[in-house]
Amino acid sequence: MKRFALSILVLALLTVLALPAAAELEVGSLAASRIGNAWTLDGTNMEAARAKLENPDNFGSVGGVDPVDIDVTDVSAPLTAGVLAPFDVFFIGYTPDGTLADAELAALQDWVDAGGSLILTCDDESHDEICELFGRTLGGNATPPTEPAPGQLTHPLFTGPFGTATTIVNSGNYSYFASAVGATVLAVDDAGLPIILIEGVGDGLVLSMGDVDMLSDFTLSSGAAIDATNDNDVLLGNLFAALSGAACPPGALCLGAGGRFEVTVTWETPSGDSGVGHPVPLTDDSGSFWFFNPNNLEMIVKVLDGCPVNNRFWVFAGGLTNVEVVLTVVDTEAGVTKVYTNPVTTPFQPIQDTNAFATCP
């Protein structure tokens, strides 16, 4: 599969991951036999991550929360241009320094420059050589917990099709990055030090994490399902959904089968202050929005498949506000838009539109 054209993406990395949608995401990972430990996608410490990525109910073109099939390949051969060429994403787990020869490091860098997406876990000074290759050095032990950096809660890593992650758990010691110059800080520790960074490198993308255990069996739920109450599960799901290009756009809820209906909200107060609603996914069909404070939800929305009843998709919404609200719902398959407006200083009037979209099936 052709790798993503990320040079355009990089310009928007301060707020969003957004890649062209793909039918299949080819993911490579260094085999456990290469790195000598179990913190990689065929290792015994990452069985849950592997199972969740390969579960078609999570990632599947038919019925998946993210409608993209993920194919994971474990690479034991030396990294060369030819070996790396088929992959859209490559995952580097807990890899000891010196594992990759100079020629392999050069091939990996060329692959990223050409448009590959690289996920790096850096962990400690004896396992950070590849991070240093891309200019990221570690600064010492971080202080839990790990949380979205200021302004990044609605980033697709933390708010996406698998839910919202607010507190990322780590296992044992983990590291912060000494410098974030040139990168966007997505997550920080309790002291505000950078833990997850994202940056454009050439036409490619590098996501650097201070601990592989954010995605290992030590913090994920067991089994192949992604548990919406486990923030590490949500992080894993949203990360790969964003890389697949099928993630919901920032600032939107994507509801219904395959996230077909894209829901956005704008608001304005009587004094003229205005902004956008921040989405909080709840279920496949429903979600909420906050306006002023993430702890203060302002409205809830759901889109239901009423096609068996009256050959329509239905839109329901309720609000706890009297500011002006403009609710926009787009059927992305049919290209049809519905707009609902609640006037300023008017208590939000419930929406129960059972004739919203005549676009079945």
Side-chain angles (χ1 to χ4, degrees):
M1 186 196 335
K2 184 179 179 181
R3 290 200 297 271
F4 304 119
L6 291 171
S7 56
I8 297 174
L9 162 68
V10 168
L11 299 176
L13 282 179
L14 291 177
T15 57
V16 64
L17 277 171
L19 300 173
E24 187 172 78
L25 190 71
E26 296 290 344
V27 177
S29 173
L30 286 177
S33 60
R34 282 285 328 253
I35 67 175
N37 65 55
W39 280 274
T40 189
L41 289 180
D42 72 336
T44 55
N45 287 341
M46 297 197 72
E47 291 178 346
R50 180 69 169 257
K52 294 176 196 305
L53 294 177
E54 294 183 334
N55 181 357
D57 291 335
N58 300 327
F59 296 94
S61 55
V62 179
V65 174
D66 183 73
V68 172
D69 298 313
I70 289 183
D71 182 26
V72 181
T73 301
D74 309 301
V75 179
S76 57
L79 300 185
T80 63
V83 167
L84 292 167
F87 298 120
D88 305 302
V89 177
F90 204 87
F91 175 81
I92 301 290
Y94 190 57
T95 303
D97 294 351
T99 297
L100 299 184
D102 289 347
E104 293 180 278
L105 293 172
L108 190 62
Q109 189 160 31
D110 289 344
W111 174 80
V112 173
D113 286 340
S117 297
L118 182 64
I119 302 172
L120 291 177
T121 65
C122 306
D123 293 271
D124 58 53
E125 292 183 352
S126 61
H127 296 77
D128 67 347
E129 181 178 57
I130 304 174
C131 279
E132 291 185 344
L133 175 70
F134 290 94
R136 296 300 157 204
T137 59
L138 300 179
N141 287 338
T143 304
T146 294
E147 299 176 333
Q152 296 295 350
L153 178 62
T154 57
H155 190 282
L157 242 65
F158 305 114
T159 299
F162 292 94
T164 297
T166 59
T167 303
I168 310 303
V169 177
N170 297 82
S171 177
N173 292 335
Y174 64 106
S175 298
Y176 67 88
F177 292 97
S179 171
V181 174
T184 297
V185 178
L186 295 183
V188 297
D189 72 353
D190 195 52
L193 298 169
I195 305 298
I196 302 178
L197 304 176
I198 191 169
E199 59 191 308
V201 177
D203 286 336
L205 176 71
V206 177
L207 182 89
S208 303
M209 309 177 73
D211 184 18
V212 69
D213 280 321
M214 292 187 226
L215 304 177
S216 81
D217 292 357
F218 291 94
T219 59
L220 298 178
S221 67
S222 61
I226 289 180
D227 181 354
T229 68
N230 181 308
D231 283 12
N232 291 66
D233 280 21
V234 173
L235 176 72
L236 173 75
N238 287 344
L239 168 59
F240 281 87
L243 291 171
S244 76
C248 195
L253 288 172
C254 290
L255 305 178
R260 171 173 175 168
F261 294 91
E262 187 176 301
V263 183
T264 55
V265 170
T266 62
W267 55 265
E268 184 172 344
T269 68
S271 63
D273 293 331
S274 61
V276 298
H278 299 275
V280 181
L282 298 175
T283 69
D284 290 348
D285 295 325
S286 66
S288 61
F289 287 90
W290 60 270
F291 297 172
F292 311 104
N293 186 307
N295 296 318
N296 182 17
L297 298 179
E298 302 287 349
M299 62 181 300
I300 189 166
V301 182
K302 65 180 179 180
V303 179
L304 298 177
D305 183 354
C307 295
V309 178
N310 68 340
N311 204 36
R312 299 288 190 275
F313 289 98
W314 304 349
V315 174
F316 288 75
L320 302 171
T321 183
N322 66 349
V323 301
E324 179 181 278
V325 174
V326 178
L327 170 67
T328 302
V329 185
V330 180
D331 182 343
T332 60
E333 289 188 12
V336 177
T337 299
K338 292 281 290 188
V339 179
Y340 305 89
T341 301
N342 188 78
V344 69
T345 69
T346 302
F348 192 98
Q349 299 301 300
I351 297 168
Q352 299 181 359
D353 188 354
T354 57
N355 289 296
F357 290 95
T359 53
C360 296

